[in-house]
Amino acid sequence: MNHLHRSNAADHTPHSPPGTSRLVLRHDLPASFVLFLISIPLSLGIAHATGAPLMAGLISAVVGGVVVGALSGAPLQISGPGTGLVVIVAGLVAQFGWAATAAITLAAGVLQLVLGLTGISRLVMSLSPAIVHGMLAGIGISIAVGQLVVVLGGTAASTVPANLALLPGELAGSHLGSVVAGTVAIAVLLLWPRVPRASLVPAPLVAVAVATGLAVVLPLDVARVDLPDSHDLVFPAVPQGSVGTVVAAVVTVALVASMESLLSAVAVDRLHDGPRPARQGAARAGHRQRAGGRARRVPDQRRPGAQLHERRRGARTRCAAVLQGLWIAVAVLAFAAALEQIPLAALAGVLLVVGLRLVSVERMRNLLRHQEFGVYAATALGVVLFGLLEGVVVGLVIALLRALYRLTHCSVRVEGNRVCVHGSLVFLGVGRLVRELRRLPLGQTVVLELHVDYLDHASFEAIDDWREGYERLGGRVRVDEVHDTWYDRANQGTPGRRKTLPGPLPRWFAPWSHWQSSAAPALPAQRSAPESDPMLLGMLEFERRSAPLVRPFLHELAVRGQRPRQLFITCADSRVVPNLITTSGPGDLFCVRNIGNLVPTHGSDDRSVGAAIEYAVEILNVSTVVVCGHSDCGAMKALVNGGASRGSHLHSWLRNAEPSLIRFHAPAAPRCAELPVADRLAVANVAQQLDNLLGHPSVREAIAAGTLSLKGMYFDISNARVYLVDPDRNGLEPVPSPA
């Protein structure tokens, strides 16, 4: 039964070096006694669940405590019974018998030793968590269904379907004693943690003790623990069967045990918040395989396992684990008669609860959020219906198919004559793209916009064939590659071979509040500004992420000077980002920002806007002047509600918008009745500023010469939509698509 004992790495907190006997007596002795009380009921219950001799469970507890405790590289490694291999061992016992199963387990231990020494066992950690937790859930359901049969007074079969078939007959039978003992054990196990200071005594021990006492006092007619004499002990024997079957059994036990060990190491490691010794993870993996132990999985993810919990309450050296094994040996030799009073139904009740705890509802919710529940459910169902190895294979196949779909999936979106493709474009997804392309009307100008990080040969051939056919029938196709030049390189005979790696993207589109809190700890102390200064954080973020990307463009602009093509006049509102809404960059826009995107009339007291207009038109020779208003404008609200205090600078500035108010109230009111009043005024205000521009001589002369045009824009912040303003109608028009 050593194959049913798994070790729990408890080497997480700083501890005193092994030494004085006083340290052992004060800390390790009480902790070892608590561990002993936990191991007795679980060892007997797991042995009974697998069909192995009950004495084997106790011997396994002794060996696991003494051997693992003495030889483990982790001084505080604690051995104890676990449930992860119950289904596998039960199947092996039914197929080969107990003696052969013991030999298979020894061979699996040797294989674990090899895996631990070579480090190959760490590959198990690449398994999807959904598969692992689905496997554990399937094991838990299998244990619970089998032990329910025992609680009802029957004998559990080796498979879940067989146990489900037994349930109707057991429910109809009269096994009142077993039902009472099992129900009492389950009730005590569930209610005991609610009792104040109950953790001083382990719940499994209390549950078995109460059920046993009840069975003795009443007395109940129940099947009880039957410990064989020492001369009846069975030694390992060579399994009978084909070599392939035996090898498969050895590999299955070794791999599943190793996987549980490594996963348990990760789970327990998350409970640790102190310093970690060097090479801790590798040492743990090796210790598990060399010691032949299995890592105990915590049944309830919300709290540590009982063994780890009690270790944290006092154990200081490896003596706690060794003493645990010695106490079990003493109990077997001196108190065998008392152990034989335990009802099997009580042990089954304890294991039923342990099995159900392997099915975590919180884990299901988490996997649902991450869209991994299908893999979890398939693995659990496969374990329940077919067996553990088969269930893991089912889950692995589904996980691989999902990963393949995600890695090769691309999205195709058709917007008029523009087809946008995002993702990885390979032969698995090219069929959908070609179908969408063939639906486009003939004789048009089609833009194929590729945002892809990979394009295989099949996809290139499909796109190129469609392009040639479409253009042969009178249409035009423009391939616009945004993410990388996969199509162009393939067209030139030098196709790419690896996926485009994502680069360090600058945080252009998210406000500082979305990232500055996480970036703050990395900011070095400065004399000039505190670590929480968002502007300083932004500067460092620019130097780290954005500067390397824009440095070549800025260097060129610095050499040849600025040559913007547009003068962009807009509001000072922080939500309006001109380069963002126009998809432009450094050197593209000559910007003027003020409250309300106002253009004071020529000859007014304000000279700053006029100076910027003259510089842009006469010196920079811009070809377009844009006035951009926006929704939810504070200046327009102040005009509507009279919010500016008389005598203030704001009130004086907003007098430049009085012509906009007159225009707004004129009979030719804006045709945007669906907009709020302030937003309709913002549209009329843009139209009025375009008229004000015509009063500036430099603008009027450039328009007359045909070198300048005026445009009005309106930005709807909440919907992230940009519209053109028609000054003649004071209305909005959508931005037209290029021909």
Side-chain angles (χ1 to χ4, degrees), residues 351-568:
L351 283 180
L352 189 150
V353 174
V354 171
L356 291 179
R357 282 176 175 170
L358 293 178
V359 186
S360 171
V361 176
E362 180 60 30
R363 177 61 59 181
M364 293 183 191
R365 294 196 188 102
N366 187 43
L367 292 173
L368 274 172
R369 288 193 294 268
H370 291 275
Q371 299 181 349
E372 293 286 347
F373 183 76
V375 177
Y376 172 90
T379 305
L381 190 62
V383 171
V384 168
L385 296 180
F386 308 112
L388 191 141
L389 187 60
E390 293 84 353
V392 170
V393 170
V394 169
L396 186 60
V397 170
I398 294 179
L400 289 175
L401 291 176
R402 285 179 58 82
L404 181 63
Y405 172 79
R406 289 174 177 176
L407 290 174
T408 60
H409 178 69
C410 67
S411 64
V412 180
R413 187 176 72 253
V414 180
E415 300 174 347
N417 291 341
R418 179 178 292 270
V419 181
C420 300
V421 183
H422 293 259
S424 299
L425 192 52
V426 298
F427 68 97
L428 293 175
V430 73
R432 179 190 173 197
L433 172 61
V434 172
R435 286 194 299 271
E436 295 292 344
L437 293 174
R438 288 176 177 172
R439 292 188 183 131
L440 296 174
L442 298 177
Q444 304 290 322
T445 298
V446 176
V447 178
L448 179 58
E449 191 173 289
L450 299 180
H451 302 256
V452 299
D453 57 9
Y454 185 74
L455 181 77
D456 68 357
H457 182 68
S459 303
F460 168 73
E461 289 280 354
I463 294 175
D464 210 45
D465 290 345
W466 169 82
R467 177 180 184 176
E468 291 180 358
Y470 192 84
E471 292 181 340
R472 191 166 51 247
L473 296 175
R476 293 179 58 196
V477 177
R478 188 177 87 243
V479 179
D480 187 3
E481 297 189 87
V482 178
H483 192 63
D484 201 347
T485 57
W486 285 95
Y487 181 85
D488 184 62
R489 282 182 289 166
N491 200 28
Q492 296 176 9
T494 57
R497 301 184 182 277
R498 295 183 179 180
K499 294 184 70 171
T500 303
L501 295 177
L505 297 178
R507 304 183 189 273
W508 287 335
F509 305 111
W512 284 339
S513 60
H514 284 248
W515 60 270
Q516 64 186 14
S517 58
S518 61
L523 184 66
Q526 300 285 340
R527 293 182 180 179
S528 58
E531 293 190 4
S532 59
D533 185 348
M535 181 63 70
L536 185 57
L537 285 170
M539 293 163 59
L540 291 176
E541 185 73 6
F542 169 78
E543 290 183 354
R544 185 172 72 251
R545 292 178 179 268
S546 303
L549 299 177
V550 300
R551 186 173 292 118
F553 306 102
L554 292 177
H555 176 74
E556 182 181 354
L557 289 172
V559 172
R560 65 179 177 85
Q562 64 166 328
R563 296 178 183 176
R565 304 307 301 160
Q566 289 86 28
L567 167 60
F568 200 88

Side-chain angles (χ1 to χ4, degrees), residues 307-378:
Q307 291 174 327
L308 177 61
H309 176 66
E310 295 302 334
R311 196 283 303 168
R312 290 168 68 180
R313 293 180 54 175
R316 292 294 184 270
T317 74
R318 66 175 72 247
C319 292
V322 176
L323 289 174
Q324 167 204 288
L326 295 179
W327 296 141
I328 297 174
V330 171
V332 172
L333 296 175
F335 303 103
L339 295 177
E340 289 182 335
Q341 296 298 316
I342 299 175
L344 294 178
L347 299 177
V350 171
L351 283 180
L352 189 150
V353 174
V354 171
L356 291 179
R357 282 176 175 170
L358 293 178
V359 186
S360 171
V361 176
E362 180 60 30
R363 177 61 59 181
M364 293 183 191
R365 294 196 188 102
N366 187 43
L367 292 173
L368 274 172
R369 288 193 294 268
H370 291 275
Q371 299 181 349
E372 293 286 347
F373 183 76
V375 177
Y376 172 90

